[in-house]
Amino acid sequence: MRKLCTAIICSFISAHAFSQCMVSGEVTDQLGRRISGAAVVIMNAADSVSIAWEYTQDAPFHIQYTNPNNDKLLLYIEALGYENIYKNLPENATHCDIGRLKLVHSSTQIEEITITAEAPIKYKFVAGKNEFEIPRSIGEQVFDLNMLLMHIPGLAVDGDKVTVVGRGTPEFTINGQKPRPGELEQLAPKDVARISIDRMPSARYSKEVKSVVDIITRKALRDQVNVRVANDFRMGHEPRNGSVVAIDSRFGKWTNYASYMYDYGRTYYETVYATNLHSEKQSYERIYSQKPLFTSHAHTLTLSPKFQINDKSFIDLQYHYKRKSSDGSHPEIFDIVGFERSEAAGSSRTDNDTHNLIFRYFYETEGRNRLDLNCGYSSVGEKGHNIISEWITSSQSAPELITTDYTDRFVSETVSFSANYEHTFGRDITADMGLELAEIWNHGKTIYKGSAPLMSNTEETQATLYVNYGQQIGKFRYRLGLRGEYLYKYRAENKDVNANPFSWLPSVSLSYEPTDAINLNFYFRRSTIHPTLSERDPILHYVNKYEYMRGNPDLKSYIENEIALRLELPYHFSVALEYDFAKNPIIMMDDIYNIEKQQTILTYHNFPEKKNLIANISWYRRFGFYTLYLDATYDQNWSKTPFGNDYLNLHKPLFGARIQQTAKIAKYAEFNVAFNYQTSYDALYTHNSESYNMDINLALTFFQRRLNIVISCYNLFYTDQQTKEMYKSISTENWNRMFDRQFRVGISYKFNSLKSDYQRNDSNANILNRLQ
């Protein structure tokens, strides 16, 4: 720690050892009125790395900076609602007075702006979505995308897990499109221009999607070659070391990206299940415990060339390859109290190979009509070898050794196509429609030593149609959507066909904005859910001597309704309500198979009903260098669970709170603390224990933000997770000890642009023309 502090102090001292330079000027509109809140940034012309910046007030700006290498510099001015300006700075000048810089109003309608010199992230409400504009300086300071998302109100980031408060895990998109494999990981935070949160997903998304986070990237404005190397080291129940090198370049109309990542990890945890089975004649208790340990090695290669046809259209191709090998041991103990005990020691070896090839075409007209087409092929192959040695000790017979040796081979191939078209009718009416098709072939084989192999061959067809229509009427906006889903599955072994006709998913979203600081959102969606092929599969599958698994051919389809209401108030208060109701939802639960032999079967049931109400209150405020986020959640479940000869009423609500604080402790250092707490609660047929955790993060940048360091501790305090399941004649108490505390050190370095070695002869002469 002493060395770290010394390095920080030395970096600040060295920064002031060079002579200070200054740029002065004034930012106004076309009428000569000064603009407050404009971002004035001095950046390196070669690689756009920010050197110094300032947010204007109602006065001229004066920015001090150092330029020890006499690099060529640009002055960049950005203000929400105005066109951006780039201007060359004179070389070898210690003081430069730019004079008056007039900004031209942008043609894009701006609905709201909230910005101060202490709050660099700009917020606006657009068509029912919360949109945050990210200055480049924020993206340059953070290590990865998740560290950037910590700055966005309404998002909860716990390690690698990101949730939209009150709406669960979001679907991520990049520029409105579903990210391809590895595309989120390769996204550099400095390239993120805006982040949009949609809590009312359109019919383009399936019923599982409760919210969408869209990441809008900056356009590459000049020829460049960037190189980034990073290493991410973590200690915890999943120790991991990930190293990556990424190169992206732009030459004229060609943009290329290549990256290689190597990831080494280990996983270990402890799980205990105490199951009580009851019948009229007999009851017993069974205790199961597991302490697995897995080691994995993963190699990932991504190649993505892109050709810009014109300013509005492009084609690109991505190839993504991943090979992962894992070795594991998983000792298990089954204890039938007072009757029989089984101790098993197992080992496994698994190799996975994944290939993804995706071609994309994007076209946009001057009238903002957009068409994107995607064609893809993926292949997933898995080979596994498992050996299980099981000692069985019984009070009624001699000890017995059972050894199981088997291999698994599985191959899945997918051919997919998707098309989406968005059309704008004037300024106030939009419509989009799309089609998604996928054909999937699965081939599986399980070979038990000394017996005939078990084969599994299935063919699956998936089809989706959707259409959305939206209109803006003054301060009121609505959107109507309809999504149709079709699924066909065929299993060759038993010639079982599972063909579901189109199930329809209608949705309605409304938003009203009476003032700039108040907006109201309403959302309704209705879903039809059909049981899958595996859920209906009647074949009994052996897991071990005491457990089996099979589907339920008598499962029924069910309908789920979702209603959501959200109100945003002045001073960044928001209140949200969500109500879900489903009749006969499908659940997975243990059932008695043979009480005399202490055997259970894991199968599927139609639960009587599911009703859930979630309420959330959120508030955030920036106090200069300090930012505070507060969230409170109320989650009420109503369910009658069949247990024994009666029903159990489970309706204990959850109360949860989240506190997150971010402080700028120095110009190049930021400290973040997040605390989560939730009480014990009931959900369907389970009772869950209370839990809490705390995360801390320290982000540091050096060398004009080229070197990023993050030091984190996730789950500094945490609790073991306990649940109690009650269904029919089985009650199960589960205790999971994941050793969740993790320590993380991440280091990344962005090299200077290599453009000077490859630039075209006319690059310097035309740089400003390409920037504007």
Side-chain angles (χ1 to χ4, degrees), residues 349-395:
R349 165 79 183 185
T350 304
D351 294 309
N352 297 83
D353 286 291
T354 302
H355 301 265
N356 287 283
L357 186 64
I358 301 176
F359 172 81
R360 177 170 59 186
Y361 170 73
F362 179 85
Y363 173 76
E364 183 176 3
T365 68
E366 294 295 336
R368 294 183 297 166
N369 302 322
R370 305 171 61 179
L371 171 68
D372 63 85
L373 305 174
N374 292 268
C375 298
Y377 169 80
S378 68
S379 172
V380 179
E382 178 180 301
K383 297 179 181 179
H385 183 207
N386 301 269
I387 301 176
I388 301 175
S389 299
E390 185 178 10
W391 278 97
I392 300 175
T393 305
S394 173
S395 60

Short mmCIF file of all heavy atoms in Angstrom, two decimals, residues 349-395:
data_model
loop_
_atom_site.label_atom_id
_atom_site.label_comp_id
_atom_site.label_asym_id
_atom_site.label_seq_id
_atom_site.Cartn_x
_atom_site.Cartn_y
_atom_site.Cartn_z
N ARG A 349 -13.58 -34.77 -17.20
CA ARG A 349 -12.79 -33.99 -18.16
C ARG A 349 -13.71 -33.59 -19.30
O ARG A 349 -14.37 -34.43 -19.91
CB ARG A 349 -11.63 -34.82 -18.69
CG ARG A 349 -10.94 -34.26 -19.94
CD ARG A 349 -9.98 -33.15 -19.63
NE ARG A 349 -9.40 -32.58 -20.84
CZ ARG A 349 -8.46 -31.66 -20.82
NH1 ARG A 349 -8.00 -31.20 -19.68
NH2 ARG A 349 -7.97 -31.17 -21.95
N THR A 350 -13.79 -32.28 -19.58
CA THR A 350 -14.69 -31.78 -20.61
C THR A 350 -13.94 -30.83 -21.53
O THR A 350 -13.20 -29.96 -21.06
CB THR A 350 -15.89 -31.05 -19.99
OG1 THR A 350 -16.56 -31.92 -19.06
CG2 THR A 350 -16.88 -30.62 -21.06
N ASP A 351 -14.15 -30.99 -22.83
CA ASP A 351 -13.57 -30.10 -23.84
C ASP A 351 -14.71 -29.52 -24.68
O ASP A 351 -15.55 -30.27 -25.20
CB ASP A 351 -12.59 -30.85 -24.74
CG ASP A 351 -11.37 -31.33 -23.99
OD1 ASP A 351 -10.74 -30.51 -23.28
OD2 ASP A 351 -11.04 -32.53 -24.09
N ASN A 352 -14.73 -28.20 -24.80
CA ASN A 352 -15.74 -27.51 -25.59
C ASN A 352 -15.08 -26.72 -26.70
O ASN A 352 -14.09 -26.01 -26.46
CB ASN A 352 -16.57 -26.56 -24.72
CG ASN A 352 -17.35 -27.28 -23.65
OD1 ASN A 352 -16.81 -27.59 -22.61
ND2 ASN A 352 -18.62 -27.52 -23.90
N ASP A 353 -15.65 -26.80 -27.89
CA ASP A 353 -15.21 -25.99 -29.03
C ASP A 353 -16.42 -25.27 -29.60
O ASP A 353 -17.43 -25.92 -29.93
CB ASP A 353 -14.56 -26.85 -30.10
CG ASP A 353 -13.17 -27.31 -29.70
OD1 ASP A 353 -12.27 -26.47 -29.63
OD2 ASP A 353 -13.01 -28.51 -29.45
N THR A 354 -16.32 -23.95 -29.71
CA THR A 354 -17.43 -23.15 -30.24
C THR A 354 -16.93 -22.30 -31.40
O THR A 354 -15.91 -21.60 -31.28
CB THR A 354 -18.01 -22.23 -29.15
OG1 THR A 354 -18.44 -23.03 -28.04
CG2 THR A 354 -19.19 -21.44 -29.68
N HIS A 355 -17.64 -22.36 -32.52
CA HIS A 355 -17.36 -21.53 -33.69
C HIS A 355 -18.62 -20.71 -34.00
O HIS A 355 -19.72 -21.25 -34.07
CB HIS A 355 -17.00 -22.38 -34.91
CG HIS A 355 -15.81 -23.26 -34.71
ND1 HIS A 355 -14.55 -22.90 -35.10
CD2 HIS A 355 -15.71 -24.50 -34.17
CE1 HIS A 355 -13.71 -23.87 -34.81
NE2 HIS A 355 -14.39 -24.87 -34.24
N ASN A 356 -18.44 -19.40 -34.20
CA ASN A 356 -19.55 -18.54 -34.60
C ASN A 356 -19.09 -17.68 -35.77
O ASN A 356 -18.03 -17.04 -35.71
CB ASN A 356 -19.98 -17.62 -33.45
CG ASN A 356 -20.73 -18.35 -32.37
OD1 ASN A 356 -21.90 -18.66 -32.52
ND2 ASN A 356 -20.05 -18.64 -31.27
N LEU A 357 -19.89 -17.67 -36.81
CA LEU A 357 -19.61 -16.85 -37.99
C LEU A 357 -20.89 -16.08 -38.33
O LEU A 357 -21.94 -16.68 -38.58
CB LEU A 357 -19.20 -17.73 -39.17
CG LEU A 357 -18.75 -17.00 -40.44
CD1 LEU A 357 -17.48 -16.21 -40.19
CD2 LEU A 357 -18.56 -17.98 -41.58
N ILE A 358 -20.79 -14.73 -38.31
CA ILE A 358 -21.97 -13.89 -38.49
C ILE A 358 -21.67 -12.81 -39.52
O ILE A 358 -20.67 -12.09 -39.41
CB ILE A 358 -22.41 -13.24 -37.16
CG1 ILE A 358 -22.73 -14.32 -36.13
CG2 ILE A 358 -23.63 -12.35 -37.39
CD1 ILE A 358 -23.09 -13.78 -34.78
N PHE A 359 -22.54 -12.69 -40.52
CA PHE A 359 -22.46 -11.64 -41.53
C PHE A 359 -23.60 -10.65 -41.28
O PHE A 359 -24.74 -11.05 -41.05
CB PHE A 359 -22.56 -12.23 -42.94
CG PHE A 359 -22.67 -11.20 -44.01
CD1 PHE A 359 -21.54 -10.55 -44.49
CD2 PHE A 359 -23.91 -10.87 -44.55
CE1 PHE A 359 -21.64 -9.59 -45.49
CE2 PHE A 359 -24.02 -9.90 -45.54
CZ PHE A 359 -22.87 -9.26 -46.02
N ARG A 360 -23.27 -9.34 -41.37
CA ARG A 360 -24.29 -8.31 -41.09
C ARG A 360 -24.23 -7.23 -42.17
O ARG A 360 -23.16 -6.82 -42.61
CB ARG A 360 -24.05 -7.70 -39.72
CG ARG A 360 -25.00 -6.56 -39.36
CD ARG A 360 -24.85 -6.16 -37.91
NE ARG A 360 -23.50 -5.73 -37.59
CZ ARG A 360 -23.09 -5.42 -36.35
NH1 ARG A 360 -23.92 -5.56 -35.34
NH2 ARG A 360 -21.86 -5.03 -36.14
N TYR A 361 -25.41 -6.76 -42.56
CA TYR A 361 -25.54 -5.63 -43.49
C TYR A 361 -26.46 -4.61 -42.85
O TYR A 361 -27.55 -4.95 -42.35
CB TYR A 361 -26.12 -6.08 -44.83
CG TYR A 361 -26.50 -4.94 -45.74
CD1 TYR A 361 -25.52 -4.18 -46.38
CD2 TYR A 361 -27.82 -4.61 -45.95
CE1 TYR A 361 -25.87 -3.13 -47.21
CE2 TYR A 361 -28.19 -3.57 -46.79
CZ TYR A 361 -27.21 -2.82 -47.42
OH TYR A 361 -27.56 -1.77 -48.23
N PHE A 362 -26.03 -3.34 -42.86
CA PHE A 362 -26.81 -2.26 -42.25
C PHE A 362 -26.93 -1.12 -43.25
O PHE A 362 -25.95 -0.72 -43.88
CB PHE A 362 -26.13 -1.77 -40.97
CG PHE A 362 -26.86 -0.64 -40.29
CD1 PHE A 362 -27.90 -0.91 -39.42
CD2 PHE A 362 -26.51 0.68 -40.53
CE1 PHE A 362 -28.58 0.13 -38.79
CE2 PHE A 362 -27.19 1.72 -39.91
CZ PHE A 362 -28.22 1.44 -39.04
N TYR A 363 -28.16 -0.60 -43.37
CA TYR A 363 -28.42 0.49 -44.31
C TYR A 363 -29.36 1.50 -43.65
O TYR A 363 -30.35 1.13 -43.02
CB TYR A 363 -29.06 -0.06 -45.59
CG TYR A 363 -29.52 1.01 -46.55
CD1 TYR A 363 -28.59 1.71 -47.33
CD2 TYR A 363 -30.87 1.32 -46.67
CE1 TYR A 363 -29.01 2.69 -48.22
CE2 TYR A 363 -31.29 2.30 -47.57
CZ TYR A 363 -30.36 2.99 -48.33
OH TYR A 363 -30.77 3.96 -49.19
N GLU A 364 -29.03 2.77 -43.80
CA GLU A 364 -29.84 3.84 -43.23
C GLU A 364 -30.01 4.94 -44.28
O GLU A 364 -29.04 5.36 -44.92
CB GLU A 364 -29.22 4.42 -41.97
CG GLU A 364 -30.06 5.49 -41.30
CD GLU A 364 -29.46 5.99 -39.99
OE1 GLU A 364 -28.35 5.53 -39.64
OE2 GLU A 364 -30.08 6.84 -39.33
N THR A 365 -31.24 5.44 -44.42
CA THR A 365 -31.51 6.51 -45.37
C THR A 365 -31.41 7.86 -44.68
O THR A 365 -31.29 7.96 -43.45
CB THR A 365 -32.92 6.33 -45.97
OG1 THR A 365 -33.90 6.57 -44.93
CG2 THR A 365 -33.11 4.94 -46.53
N GLU A 366 -31.50 8.92 -45.49
CA GLU A 366 -31.47 10.27 -44.92
C GLU A 366 -32.68 10.53 -44.05
O GLU A 366 -32.64 11.35 -43.15
CB GLU A 366 -31.41 11.30 -46.07
CG GLU A 366 -30.12 11.27 -46.86
CD GLU A 366 -28.91 11.67 -46.03
OE1 GLU A 366 -29.08 12.36 -45.02
OE2 GLU A 366 -27.79 11.26 -46.40
N GLY A 367 -33.77 9.83 -44.30
CA GLY A 367 -34.97 10.00 -43.49
C GLY A 367 -35.00 9.15 -42.25
O GLY A 367 -36.05 8.92 -41.67
N ARG A 368 -33.85 8.60 -41.84
CA ARG A 368 -33.69 7.78 -40.63
C ARG A 368 -34.42 6.44 -40.72
O ARG A 368 -34.77 5.85 -39.70
CB ARG A 368 -34.15 8.55 -39.38
CG ARG A 368 -33.31 9.76 -39.04
CD ARG A 368 -33.79 10.41 -37.78
NE ARG A 368 -35.14 10.92 -37.92
CZ ARG A 368 -35.90 11.31 -36.89
NH1 ARG A 368 -35.44 11.21 -35.66
NH2 ARG A 368 -37.12 11.77 -37.10
N ASN A 369 -34.66 5.93 -41.92
CA ASN A 369 -35.17 4.58 -42.07
C ASN A 369 -33.98 3.61 -42.05
O ASN A 369 -32.95 3.87 -42.69
CB ASN A 369 -35.95 4.44 -43.38
CG ASN A 369 -37.10 5.43 -43.45
OD1 ASN A 369 -37.76 5.70 -42.45
ND2 ASN A 369 -37.33 6.00 -44.62
N ARG A 370 -34.12 2.51 -41.35
CA ARG A 370 -32.99 1.62 -41.12
C ARG A 370 -33.36 0.17 -41.45
O ARG A 370 -34.45 -0.29 -41.12
CB ARG A 370 -32.52 1.71 -39.66
CG ARG A 370 -32.17 3.10 -39.22
CD ARG A 370 -31.92 3.18 -37.73
NE ARG A 370 -30.80 2.35 -37.32
CZ ARG A 370 -30.38 2.25 -36.07
NH1 ARG A 370 -30.98 2.93 -35.11
NH2 ARG A 370 -29.36 1.48 -35.77
N LEU A 371 -32.42 -0.53 -42.06
CA LEU A 371 -32.57 -1.95 -42.36
C LEU A 371 -31.29 -2.65 -41.93
O LEU A 371 -30.19 -2.23 -42.28
CB LEU A 371 -32.80 -2.17 -43.87
CG LEU A 371 -32.75 -3.63 -44.35
CD1 LEU A 371 -33.95 -4.40 -43.81
CD2 LEU A 371 -32.69 -3.69 -45.87
N ASP A 372 -31.44 -3.73 -41.15
CA ASP A 372 -30.27 -4.54 -40.84
C ASP A 372 -30.61 -6.02 -41.03
O ASP A 372 -31.67 -6.49 -40.65
CB ASP A 372 -29.75 -4.26 -39.41
CG ASP A 372 -30.74 -4.61 -38.33
OD1 ASP A 372 -30.77 -5.79 -37.93
OD2 ASP A 372 -31.48 -3.73 -37.86
N LEU A 373 -29.67 -6.72 -41.65
CA LEU A 373 -29.80 -8.14 -41.95
C LEU A 373 -28.64 -8.88 -41.31
O LEU A 373 -27.49 -8.42 -41.34
CB LEU A 373 -29.79 -8.37 -43.46
CG LEU A 373 -30.82 -7.61 -44.30
CD1 LEU A 373 -30.56 -7.84 -45.78
CD2 LEU A 373 -32.23 -8.03 -43.93
N ASN A 374 -28.93 -10.04 -40.73
CA ASN A 374 -27.91 -10.86 -40.09
C ASN A 374 -28.07 -12.31 -40.53
O ASN A 374 -29.17 -12.86 -40.46
CB ASN A 374 -28.03 -10.79 -38.57
CG ASN A 374 -27.68 -9.42 -38.01
OD1 ASN A 374 -26.55 -9.14 -37.66
ND2 ASN A 374 -28.67 -8.53 -37.94
N CYS A 375 -26.97 -12.91 -40.97
CA CYS A 375 -26.93 -14.33 -41.28
C CYS A 375 -25.83 -14.97 -40.45
O CYS A 375 -24.71 -14.43 -40.38
CB CYS A 375 -26.65 -14.57 -42.76
SG CYS A 375 -27.91 -13.91 -43.87
N GLY A 376 -26.12 -16.08 -39.81
CA GLY A 376 -25.13 -16.67 -38.92
C GLY A 376 -25.10 -18.18 -38.96
O GLY A 376 -26.09 -18.84 -39.31
N TYR A 377 -23.95 -18.71 -38.61
CA TYR A 377 -23.77 -20.15 -38.44
C TYR A 377 -22.94 -20.37 -37.17
O TYR A 377 -21.94 -19.67 -36.94
CB TYR A 377 -23.04 -20.77 -39.63
CG TYR A 377 -22.60 -22.21 -39.37
CD1 TYR A 377 -23.52 -23.25 -39.47
CD2 TYR A 377 -21.29 -22.50 -38.98
CE1 TYR A 377 -23.13 -24.56 -39.22
CE2 TYR A 377 -20.89 -23.81 -38.74
CZ TYR A 377 -21.82 -24.84 -38.84
OH TYR A 377 -21.44 -26.12 -38.58
N SER A 378 -23.36 -21.32 -36.35
CA SER A 378 -22.61 -21.62 -35.13
C SER A 378 -22.54 -23.13 -34.96
O SER A 378 -23.46 -23.86 -35.35
CB SER A 378 -23.25 -20.98 -33.90
OG SER A 378 -24.49 -21.57 -33.59
N SER A 379 -21.44 -23.55 -34.38
CA SER A 379 -21.23 -24.97 -34.09
C SER A 379 -20.67 -25.09 -32.69
O SER A 379 -19.67 -24.43 -32.35
CB SER A 379 -20.26 -25.58 -35.11
OG SER A 379 -19.91 -26.90 -34.74
N VAL A 380 -21.31 -25.91 -31.88
CA VAL A 380 -20.87 -26.14 -30.50
C VAL A 380 -20.63 -27.64 -30.34
O VAL A 380 -21.53 -28.45 -30.56
CB VAL A 380 -21.93 -25.66 -29.48
CG1 VAL A 380 -21.45 -25.95 -28.06
CG2 VAL A 380 -22.21 -24.18 -29.66
N GLY A 381 -19.42 -27.98 -29.98
CA GLY A 381 -19.08 -29.38 -29.75
C GLY A 381 -18.55 -29.60 -28.35
O GLY A 381 -17.80 -28.78 -27.82
N GLU A 382 -18.96 -30.70 -27.74
CA GLU A 382 -18.52 -31.00 -26.37
C GLU A 382 -18.19 -32.48 -26.25
O GLU A 382 -18.94 -33.34 -26.71
CB GLU A 382 -19.61 -30.63 -25.37
CG GLU A 382 -19.26 -30.95 -23.92
CD GLU A 382 -20.36 -30.57 -22.96
OE1 GLU A 382 -20.72 -29.37 -22.92
OE2 GLU A 382 -20.87 -31.46 -22.27
N LYS A 383 -17.04 -32.75 -25.62
CA LYS A 383 -16.63 -34.11 -25.33
C LYS A 383 -16.30 -34.20 -23.85
O LYS A 383 -15.54 -33.39 -23.33
CB LYS A 383 -15.41 -34.51 -26.16
CG LYS A 383 -15.64 -34.53 -27.66
CD LYS A 383 -14.38 -34.91 -28.40
CE LYS A 383 -14.59 -34.91 -29.91
NZ LYS A 383 -13.35 -35.26 -30.64
N GLY A 384 -16.88 -35.18 -23.18
CA GLY A 384 -16.65 -35.31 -21.75
C GLY A 384 -16.43 -36.75 -21.34
O GLY A 384 -16.99 -37.68 -21.94
N HIS A 385 -15.59 -36.94 -20.33
CA HIS A 385 -15.33 -38.27 -19.78
C HIS A 385 -15.51 -38.19 -18.27
O HIS A 385 -14.93 -37.33 -17.61
CB HIS A 385 -13.91 -38.73 -20.12
CG HIS A 385 -13.62 -40.11 -19.64
ND1 HIS A 385 -12.35 -40.55 -19.34
CD2 HIS A 385 -14.43 -41.19 -19.40
CE1 HIS A 385 -12.38 -41.80 -18.94
NE2 HIS A 385 -13.65 -42.21 -18.97
N ASN A 386 -16.33 -39.08 -17.71
CA ASN A 386 -16.67 -39.05 -16.29
C ASN A 386 -16.46 -40.43 -15.67
O ASN A 386 -16.83 -41.44 -16.25
CB ASN A 386 -18.13 -38.63 -16.08
CG ASN A 386 -18.42 -37.26 -16.65
OD1 ASN A 386 -18.30 -36.26 -15.97
ND2 ASN A 386 -18.82 -37.22 -17.92
N ILE A 387 -15.86 -40.43 -14.49
CA ILE A 387 -15.69 -41.65 -13.70
C ILE A 387 -16.21 -41.38 -12.29
O ILE A 387 -15.79 -40.41 -11.64
CB ILE A 387 -14.21 -42.08 -13.63
CG1 ILE A 387 -13.66 -42.34 -15.04
CG2 ILE A 387 -14.07 -43.33 -12.77
CD1 ILE A 387 -12.19 -42.67 -15.05
N ILE A 388 -17.13 -42.21 -11.82
CA ILE A 388 -17.71 -42.06 -10.48
C ILE A 388 -17.53 -43.38 -9.72
O ILE A 388 -17.98 -44.43 -10.18
CB ILE A 388 -19.20 -41.69 -10.55
CG1 ILE A 388 -19.39 -40.38 -11.33
CG2 ILE A 388 -19.78 -41.56 -9.16
CD1 ILE A 388 -20.84 -40.02 -11.56
N SER A 389 -16.85 -43.29 -8.60
CA SER A 389 -16.70 -44.46 -7.71
C SER A 389 -17.52 -44.20 -6.45
O SER A 389 -17.28 -43.22 -5.74
CB SER A 389 -15.23 -44.68 -7.36
OG SER A 389 -14.46 -44.94 -8.52
N GLU A 390 -18.47 -45.12 -6.15
CA GLU A 390 -19.43 -44.89 -5.08
C GLU A 390 -19.41 -46.07 -4.10
O GLU A 390 -19.67 -47.21 -4.47
CB GLU A 390 -20.83 -44.73 -5.69
CG GLU A 390 -21.92 -44.36 -4.70
CD GLU A 390 -23.26 -44.17 -5.38
OE1 GLU A 390 -23.37 -44.50 -6.58
OE2 GLU A 390 -24.19 -43.70 -4.72
N TRP A 391 -19.07 -45.75 -2.83
CA TRP A 391 -19.13 -46.74 -1.75
C TRP A 391 -20.46 -46.60 -1.04
O TRP A 391 -20.83 -45.52 -0.58
CB TRP A 391 -17.99 -46.53 -0.76
CG TRP A 391 -16.68 -47.14 -1.19
CD1 TRP A 391 -15.64 -46.52 -1.81
CD2 TRP A 391 -16.31 -48.51 -1.03
NE1 TRP A 391 -14.63 -47.42 -2.06
CE2 TRP A 391 -15.01 -48.65 -1.59
CE3 TRP A 391 -16.94 -49.64 -0.48
CZ2 TRP A 391 -14.32 -49.85 -1.59
CZ3 TRP A 391 -16.24 -50.84 -0.50
CH2 TRP A 391 -14.95 -50.94 -1.05
N ILE A 392 -21.18 -47.73 -0.92
CA ILE A 392 -22.49 -47.72 -0.26
C ILE A 392 -22.39 -48.57 1.01
O ILE A 392 -22.04 -49.76 0.96
CB ILE A 392 -23.58 -48.27 -1.19
CG1 ILE A 392 -23.67 -47.40 -2.45
CG2 ILE A 392 -24.92 -48.34 -0.48
CD1 ILE A 392 -24.63 -47.93 -3.48
N THR A 393 -22.68 -47.92 2.14
CA THR A 393 -22.67 -48.60 3.43
C THR A 393 -24.08 -48.62 3.98
O THR A 393 -24.70 -47.57 4.15
CB THR A 393 -21.73 -47.88 4.43
OG1 THR A 393 -20.44 -47.77 3.84
CG2 THR A 393 -21.63 -48.65 5.72
N SER A 394 -24.59 -49.85 4.26
CA SER A 394 -25.96 -49.99 4.72
C SER A 394 -26.00 -50.74 6.05
O SER A 394 -25.12 -51.58 6.33
CB SER A 394 -26.80 -50.73 3.67
OG SER A 394 -28.09 -51.01 4.17
N SER A 395 -27.00 -50.44 6.85
CA SER A 395 -27.19 -51.15 8.12
C SER A 395 -27.75 -52.55 7.90
O SER A 395 -27.79 -53.36 8.82
CB SER A 395 -28.14 -50.35 9.03
OG SER A 395 -29.40 -50.19 8.40
#
